[in-house]
Amino acid sequence: MNILVTGGAGYIGTHTCVALLKAGHQVVVVDDFSNSCPEAMQRVETICQQSIPFYQGDVGDKALLEKIFSENHFDGVIHFAGAKAVGESVAKPLYYYRNNVTASQTLLEVMATFDVSSLVFSSSATVYGDPHAVPILEDFPLAPTNPYGRSKLMVEQIMQDQAQADKRFNGIILRYFNPVGAHESGLIGEDPNGIPNNLMPFISQVAVGKRAQLTIFGNDYPTRDGTGVRDYIHVCDLAEGHVQALEKLHDQQGCHVLNLGTGNGVSVLEMVAAYADASHQPIPYVFAERRPGDVAQCYADASQAKQILGWQATRGLPEMVADSWHWQSGNPNG
Ligand code: WQD
């Protein structure tokens, strides 16, 4: 299949392009480089030993999308492009709703104009908010607690409505938990602009000497060691989940919602210890107050993805931290 990958130069986008090409599909990428760089695309081409058609620009630019769709025939779209920092979304809600919701609506309109009916959407476990229980099932209440999570839920609802209105539409909503790690080559990995919001890139930057110490937000949670517990999933497992979702579901009408997680919860302190083992570097840290908006525990019940796609995560914590360190130590400045 020929797939348009929006945000394809980003962390999950590059890894998914590699997985799609490895599975024998073709890709076209559009990205505005707001949280990525051209070098990342060159490295994907190096890994895959083939050139990738690329357009630079904003998915919200309707004229650009119409040009891309008129110059290519797509069997489907994987939509990664969007802003994803919870804290930033609280400070800039209008930017998040324009960038994540309005742009997605524009994409859906252009897809309909060009009769492209299959959309895989990059959603997030943040749509669950503070879950009443763990592990989390897809039919749990959806109660996002920040504009980022609400923007993801809004796009999910737009897709559900489009599937009701257009019987050709095929929507695949993938709710990620916490993507971490890097491709085995060490050529691509997580490279956030500025100070990392997320745990793993912050730890990796401490390990490589770019940051002095980690601040652990809260050690008084009702968890086994008092620190936050999350479902960290290797980015290559996540990428392969996208390929299998497309291959298994792209011709099935309607909207499908799947959790992509490992089903295992790992605490901050356990992640710190695993990273110190993998990098043979001390990871100095201090405890601080809880971060507003954080929940104590969030991890998936991923049995639906296994049952429907035949997919499950295969890479464990040691591989996640080893691959992350391989990338970070080889690219200390990203
Ligand atoms: C994980 C744990 C923190 C940084 C968010 C989004 C989610 C997805 C992944 C996009 C928590 C603790 C973190 C630090 C810390 N993003 N932590 N010190 O908040 O679970 O999920 O990122 O899709 O949608 O909500 O991930 O990595 O920020 O935090 O102690 O410097 O690490 O308190 O317990 P989170 P995270």
Side-chain angles (χ1 to χ4, degrees):
M1 291 183 279
N2 191 30
I3 305 297
L4 175 64
V5 181
T6 77
Y11 173 43
I12 302 170
T14 48
H15 287 83
T16 303
C17 285
V18 170
L20 284 164
L21 293 167
K22 185 177 173 186
H25 301 290
Q26 298 78 44
V27 300
V28 173
V29 169
V30 56
D31 199 301
D32 65 2
F33 294 132
S34 57
N35 195 22
S36 56
C37 61
E39 167 77 17
M41 288 313 304
Q42 291 152 20
R43 294 190 179 193
V44 173
E45 293 180 329
T46 300
I47 293 169
C48 300
Q49 287 298 293
Q50 65 182 84
S51 66
I52 296 174
F54 179 84
Y55 295 82
Q56 180 172 350
D58 177 357
V59 171
D61 177 347
K62 192 162 193 172
L64 172 64
L65 284 185
E66 288 170 342
K67 169 179 167 55
I68 296 170
F69 278 77
S70 61
E71 293 175 355
N72 300 273
H73 169 75
F74 296 120
D75 300 294
V77 180
I78 301 183
H79 182 34
F80 292 111
K84 63 161 204 166
V86 168
E88 183 186 51
S89 78
V90 175
K92 300 178 181 174
L94 298 181
Y95 169 71
Y96 268 71
Y97 291 128
R98 172 173 296 284
N99 202 29
N100 292 3
V101 181
T102 308
S104 299
Q105 177 170 344
T106 301
L107 173 63
L108 282 160
E109 287 168 348
V110 175
M111 287 176 66
T113 302
F114 286 85
D115 288 329
V116 179
S117 56
S118 183
L119 175 64
V120 178
F121 175 58
S122 166
S123 191
S124 168
T126 314
V127 301
Y128 295 112
D130 192 354
H132 65 280
V134 282
I136 298 171
L137 287 158
E138 285 86 352
D139 65 355
F140 270 26
L142 302 177
T145 59
N146 53 71
Y148 163 72
R150 281 190 280 273
S151 75
K152 289 295 187 182
L153 182 54
M154 287 175 193
V155 177
E156 289 194 14
Q157 289 165 337
I158 291 170
M159 290 174 68
Q160 299 279 6
D161 290 342
Q162 179 66 358
Q164 285 300 319
D166 179 346
K167 293 310 176 192
R168 295 163 302 166
F169 183 71
N170 158 247
I172 302 169
I173 295 166
L174 301 180
R175 292 178 182 158
Y176 311 160
F177 283 71
N178 291 58
V180 294
H183 186 261
E184 61 189 15
S185 65
L187 288 174
I188 52 176
E190 189 166 12
D191 183 23
N193 293 341
I195 300 173
N197 290 298
N198 295 137
L199 179 67
M200 181 69 110
F202 205 109
I203 290 177
S204 65
Q205 289 186 15
V206 170
V208 82
K210 191 172 178 182
R211 309 254 172 226
Q213 65 180 12
L214 171 71
T215 301
I216 298 180
F217 300 130
N219 65 336
D220 58 350
Y221 283 107
T223 61
R224 49 183 176 266
D225 61 19
T227 61
V229 171
R230 296 292 185 274
D231 185 333
Y232 298 97
I233 176 171
H234 196 293
V235 65
C236 292
D237 278 328
L238 193 64
E240 289 158 12
H242 284 73
V243 178
Q244 287 178 244
L246 256 181
E247 290 175 348
K248 295 283 176 62
L249 297 173
H250 87 282
D251 55 357
Q252 292 188 27
Q253 196 279 330
C255 245
H256 313 270
V257 182
L258 294 171
N259 286 338
L260 292 189
T262 67
N264 303 315
V266 171
S267 77
V268 176
L269 284 173
E270 289 163 347
M271 182 62 84
V272 167
Y275 216 99
D277 284 349
S279 62
H280 307 296
Q281 303 291 328
I283 310 290
Y285 61 81
V286 291
F287 289 118
E289 290 304 305
R290 297 181 179 186
R291 184 172 63 176
D294 272 356
V295 300
Q297 300 198 83
C298 177
Y299 55 91
D301 177 317
S303 54
Q304 278 292 301
K306 181 168 172 44
Q307 184 184 334
I308 294 172
L309 304 181
W311 170 91
Q312 65 181 10
T314 60
R315 299 164 176 90
L317 184 58
E319 205 164 344
M320 293 178 204
V321 291
D323 289 342
S324 168
W325 178 239
H326 183 203
W327 147 257
Q328 189 71 80
S329 57
N331 302 272
N333 296 310

